[in-house]
Amino acid sequence: MCPFIRVPTGGSTVSAAVPTDDPLVRERDHLASSRAALRAMREEVEALDIKDVTANWVNSIVLERQIEDRIKALADLSHTPLFFGRLDYLPPTQHGQRFYIGRRHVHDAHGDPMVIDWRAPVSQPYYQASKKDPQDVGLRRRFGYTGGELTAYEDEHLSDPAELERASRLLQTEIERPRVGPMRDIVATIQPEQDEIVRSDLSGTLCVQGGPGTGKTAVGLHRVAYLLYAHRERLARTGTLVIGPNRSFLQYIEQVLPALGELEVKQATVDDLVAHVEVRGTDEAATAVVKGDARMAEVLRRAVRSHVTLPSEPLMVVRGSRRWRVPAHELEEIVTELTERDIRYGAAREALPQRIAHAVLVRMEQAGEAPDDRVQNAVARNPAVKAVVKECWPPVDPAKLVLRLLGDAEFLAEHAAGILDEEEQKLLLWTKPARSVKTAKWSAADAVLIDEATDLVERTHSLGHVVLDEAQDLSPMQYRAVGRRCTTGSATVLGDLAQGTTPWATHSWQTALAHLGKPGSRVEELTAGFRVPGEVIAYASRLLPHMAPGLAPVESVRENPGAFEIRAGGDAGAVVTACVDALGHEGSIGLIAADARIGVLAEALEEAGLSYLAPGEETTAESRLTLVPASLAKGLEYDYVVLDEPAAVVDGEPDERTGLRRLYVSLTRAVSGLTIVHAAPLPEQLAPRA
């Protein structure tokens, strides 16, 4: 590997000390030519005239939208490198061609590629090739950038046995580069084990267990980008969705896919998916656990089906001067047959009048008439038929059904018999039943129950692919809600069992995948830590035996151990001092504290004249400090973290195990340095070792 080479920035020329034939000059020229080619591609699309190529106004609107999206996708982001690597293949493989690897495809006026999309098959050796398996690559070149300016390069001669294999300093520098703004893509630094996950086939669901700093979130987002590249037409038709734990997290990751040229992927939280009612209440932990239990699905199924009753009277349909009679036993057979079929309540209700009408038409035919489909539809709309349907199969409002279950002890007991014990039923019942759906103080768990009931009545629309991040915190019923959105598609499930911070957090991915409706799916584990400094992850890993025994700790592969300090004693002023010290470094700063301490710390920061952001708000060069409640820290990352009162983070949760997991999350948000400030004693699990 050639040495790490840097040159002065400032345009496509170098200082006089650098020879004119320096490779960096040629690479900068290629970058300038590629940017010009990209501008030409964009201008060509902008100049398209579609007046005479569309058959109607609908086609015109669709085509205009596609052109607008194409123009956006061809935007040249000035601070984002157009390419980050180069592959020189050995002849005769690929005819000894040279490919520049970047975030999107760029071609010249003749259609010849100047930059190859990182997702293309020819680009894969950039991530997978090694000295042991060069994959016909003679040279792999990595580029270093400052802003959008190409400032360095690094070569690996993979097919040269005389050159020793070494860790890439450019990769290390890119990983540790200060973070200002939202989460950025890792397309230039994807590792072989990450690349295998990114390029996994669309047909199967994949679960990725990854500790802090292993890049699981980035891998999941890049997997979406890859799947959209490899299966564009199919996913454009069926849709894709990224599900995150909260709005702050979604704001943090929202720029990753657009930076890769993907603009149409929707993002949501689980609460967004099940927003059938306004959530204004909260549940005690024990109640939320029962509401989130998978057994509630059967309770709801029973409650929905309880509305079906068998007819007790025959049906008489009058048409003109004729009367047609269907006896009660035949109506009973029709209702029973629909009940036994595995179809939604609403679909069966829509089928019932047609089935009854068919029975009438049979009698018409036996009498010598020749009725057609129009007659059958007319009979299905007959008032007598409608009356039977209303009596036997009345409409069900999912929210009203759940309202009754939570407010009517007898109704709940009837449908929970043999499923929930008496104590569990008491936990579900409201102390004061609500009068209506609108006045009820629904909780987040109640909304999930309503979503389940809604699906029992009418099938939920399924997407082509769903990415579920921080999945360890979902309840079984929440898994079912997500699973309904990909029953005919696949999913990428991302999480860390050690970071489960809800009382209902999953203990097993196999169990979680079964609730998702994807049993037997493949589970991959990422254990190499690229983000969290080695000393920090080693300290946080002391908690693992106490909260996630048996889970392998993350092994940091970073050469830079990072900064780590514990400051004992002091008050909020000591925390402010630590923040001031952290602001002396480049990059983003996160002050993480127990939720109950946020108010005190906010006041201290304001008194000290330090402005701060809320989680998810975009950091800038002028505003780099974010005040983060521990409950919202998951999935976020900062160059330097100041952690206030670890004991308070633990004590802020309903039990010690959940508290230690919340603390583990808080400890592992740092990329370059962590400072712990505490007046109260540290949790015993973090006590200094003898």
Side-chain angles (χ1 to χ4, degrees):
M1 181 182 296
C2 88
F4 180 55
I5 300 174
R6 283 194 183 279
V7 298
T9 60
S12 59
T13 60
V14 295
S15 64
V18 180
T20 56
D21 63 346
D22 187 278
L24 209 57
V25 175
R26 295 193 296 270
E27 301 295 13
R28 284 177 165 175
D29 286 343
H30 186 76
L31 176 61
S33 299
S34 299
R35 289 196 184 280
L38 181 62
R39 286 196 299 273
M41 291 170 61
R42 181 182 173 109
E43 289 168 359
E44 184 178 357
V45 177
E46 290 174 334
L48 288 175
D49 185 354
I50 62 171
K51 293 179 181 178
D52 299 324
V53 298
T54 54
N56 53 55
W57 66 271
V58 175
N59 290 342
S60 177
I61 291 175
V62 171
L63 189 55
E64 285 177 2
R65 174 67 182 275
Q66 291 174 342
I67 291 174
E68 289 174 2
D69 290 345
R70 178 63 175 161
I71 292 171
K72 291 178 183 177
L74 290 173
D76 186 3
L77 307 178
S78 60
H79 294 290
T80 302
L82 199 55
F83 57 80
F84 48 80
R86 194 183 96 187
L87 288 178
D88 290 6
Y89 280 93
L90 293 171
T93 307
Q94 299 290 346
H95 307 292
Q97 287 188 4
R98 172 178 296 171
F99 297 100
Y100 286 83
I101 313 301
R103 285 166 171 78
R104 68 198 67 194
H105 175 85
V106 180
H107 60 255
D108 62 17
H110 305 290
D112 295 326
M114 300 188 71
V115 180
I116 300 293
D117 195 301
W118 66 276
R119 298 167 287 188
V122 75
S123 301
Q124 188 168 8
Y126 182 78
Y127 302 106
Q128 293 287 344
S130 65
K131 296 289 290 187
K132 292 181 180 179
D133 181 20
Q135 300 186 23
D136 300 312
V137 174
L139 179 140
R140 173 168 55 200
R141 175 168 288 179
R142 302 182 191 276
F143 297 107
Y145 286 81
T146 300
E149 187 69 33
L150 198 161
T151 56
Y153 72 92
E154 187 179 60
D155 286 344
E156 298 171 86
H157 298 87
L158 298 179
S159 299
D160 183 358
E163 183 176 283
L164 298 177
E165 187 167 20
R166 300 174 183 173
S168 169
R169 291 178 61 192
L170 275 179
L171 276 179
Q172 188 77 14
T173 301
E174 173 63 21
I175 290 170
E176 297 174 5
R177 181 160 57 92
R179 287 150 169 75
V180 175
M183 180 181 179
R184 58 176 182 256
D185 65 73
I186 63 163
V187 65
T189 62
I190 293 174
Q191 299 300 294
E193 63 272 23
Q194 296 174 327
D195 185 67
E196 290 178 2
I197 293 172
V198 167
R199 297 177 192 265
S200 296
D201 190 66
L202 173 64
S203 60
T205 288
L206 178 65
C207 176
V208 181
Q209 158 66 37
T214 56
K216 58 184 178 297
T217 295
V219 166
L221 294 173
H222 286 68
R223 175 160 164 72
V224 172
Y226 171 77
L227 292 175
L228 286 168
Y229 175 88
H231 307 278
R232 177 76 60 188
E233 185 175 342
R234 176 178 172 183
L235 289 179
R237 184 175 65 255
T238 57
T240 53
L241 174 68
V242 174
I243 302 174
N246 51 59
R247 270 292 136 200
S248 297
F249 178 84
L250 293 178
Q251 289 175 343
Y252 179 62
I253 69 171
E254 66 182 355
Q255 294 302 317
V256 174
L257 288 169
L260 297 173
E262 300 300 342
L263 307 172
E264 297 301 316
V265 179
K266 296 181 179 179
Q267 297 181 353
T269 65
V270 174
D271 290 343
D272 294 332
L273 299 181
V274 300
H276 305 286
V277 292
E278 182 183 358
V279 173
R280 297 186 294 123
T282 57
D283 289 317
E284 295 292 333
T287 298
V289 168
V290 177
K291 288 181 178 180
D293 195 295
R295 293 174 295 165
M296 289 300 300
E298 177 59 20
V299 175
L300 289 165
R301 192 194 69 80
R302 289 183 182 181
V304 168
R305 291 291 172 173
S306 71
H307 291 76
V308 178
T309 58
L310 297 177
S312 56
E313 300 290 336
L315 168 69
M316 188 68 70
V317 175
V318 178
R319 281 184 60 81
S321 61
R322 302 294 299 271
R323 295 187 177 188
W324 308 100
R325 183 177 183 275
V326 181
H329 71 85
E330 188 171 343
L331 293 174
E332 183 178 331
E333 289 175 1
I334 294 172
V335 172
T336 301
E337 193 270 336
L338 284 174
T339 304
E340 293 174 349
R341 291 179 60 188
D342 186 23
I343 58 176
R344 297 298 193 274
Y345 183 92
R349 187 174 188 276
E350 291 177 359
L352 181 57
Q354 290 291 334
R355 297 293 298 275
I356 295 173
H358 178 73
V360 173
L361 260 65
V362 169
R363 285 160 173 74
M364 291 181 176
E365 291 171 346
Q366 291 172 344
E369 295 189 13
D372 55 17
D373 290 344
R374 290 175 296 177
V375 175
Q376 179 168 329
N377 290 333
V379 172
R381 295 191 299 268
N382 185 277
V385 174
K386 286 184 176 181
V388 171
V389 172
K390 184 177 181 181
E391 177 188 353
C392 299
W393 215 291
V396 171
D397 182 299
K400 290 181 179 179
L401 177 80
V402 175
L403 184 79
R404 186 179 177 189
L405 272 176
L406 300 179
D408 186 335
E410 291 185 5
F411 187 67
L412 175 62
E414 177 185 353
H415 302 299
I419 301 176
L420 305 177
D421 60 33
E422 291 185 8
E423 188 60 33
E424 289 172 322
Q425 292 179 38
K426 288 180 181 178
L427 288 171
L428 290 178
L429 289 169
W430 284 329
T431 304
K432 184 180 180 181
R435 293 183 178 181
S436 68
V437 170
K438 289 187 177 180
T439 61
K441 291 187 177 181
W442 298 105
S443 69
D446 296 334
V448 178
L449 295 179
I450 294 172
D451 190 70
E452 179 83 26
T454 301
D455 185 70
L456 289 167
V457 175
E458 184 176 354
R459 186 179 297 277
T460 304
H461 174 68
S462 177
L463 300 167
H465 193 77
V466 170
V467 174
L468 174 62
D469 203 356
E470 300 296 349
Q472 72 279 345
D473 275 337
L474 269 61
S475 70
M477 291 299 286
Q478 287 176 316
Y479 279 117
R480 290 176 61 87
V482 173
R484 286 192 282 277
R485 272 74 186 178
C486 56
T487 52
T488 58
S490 57
T492 300
V493 180
L494 311 165
D496 180 12
L497 296 178
Q499 296 187 59
T501 51
T502 57
W504 49 84
T506 188
H507 299 274
S508 161
W509 288 124
Q510 287 73 21
T511 301
L513 289 166
H515 292 313
L516 193 71
K518 308 291 183 182
S521 297
R522 181 160 59 100
V523 179
E524 295 284 349
E525 187 171 6
L526 295 174
T527 58
F530 303 99
R531 177 175 56 77
V532 184
E535 192 173 354
V536 173
I537 196 63
Y539 184 76
S541 294
R542 294 187 193 181
L543 300 174
L544 287 178
H546 307 281
M547 63 182 197
L551 198 64
V554 172
E555 294 291 336
S556 178
V557 297
R558 291 176 50 174
E559 294 179 358
N560 180 1
F564 179 58
E565 182 183 4
I566 300 176
R567 299 184 184 182
D571 52 13
V575 178
V576 172
T577 299
C579 290
V580 172
D581 293 343
L583 286 166
H585 300 284
E586 283 188 276
S588 57
I589 314 298
L591 170 54
I592 303 177
D595 291 30
R597 295 266 301 162
I598 293 298
V600 172
L601 295 177
E603 185 176 340
L605 291 173
E606 290 168 0
E607 289 179 356
L610 290 181
S611 61
Y612 60 89
L613 304 168
E617 292 184 334
E618 186 171 334
T619 56
T620 64
E622 294 74 31
S623 188
R624 298 185 289 124
L625 175 63
T626 303
L627 180 57
V628 187
S631 62
L632 296 180
K634 191 172 299 179
L636 306 179
E637 61 182 28
Y638 302 93
D639 288 291
Y640 288 84
V641 166
V642 176
L643 177 59
D644 168 73
E645 292 294 358
V649 174
V650 177
D651 293 341
E653 301 299 326
D655 58 81
E656 184 183 64
R657 177 173 169 272
T658 304
L660 291 176
R661 290 186 167 193
R662 185 75 72 189
L663 177 58
Y664 181 75
V665 170
S666 302
L667 287 167
T668 54
R669 299 304 94 201
V671 176
S672 297
L674 170 66
T675 300
I676 297 174
V677 183
H678 70 101
L682 292 171
E684 60 179 351
Q685 295 84 356
L686 294 179
R689 293 176 175 174

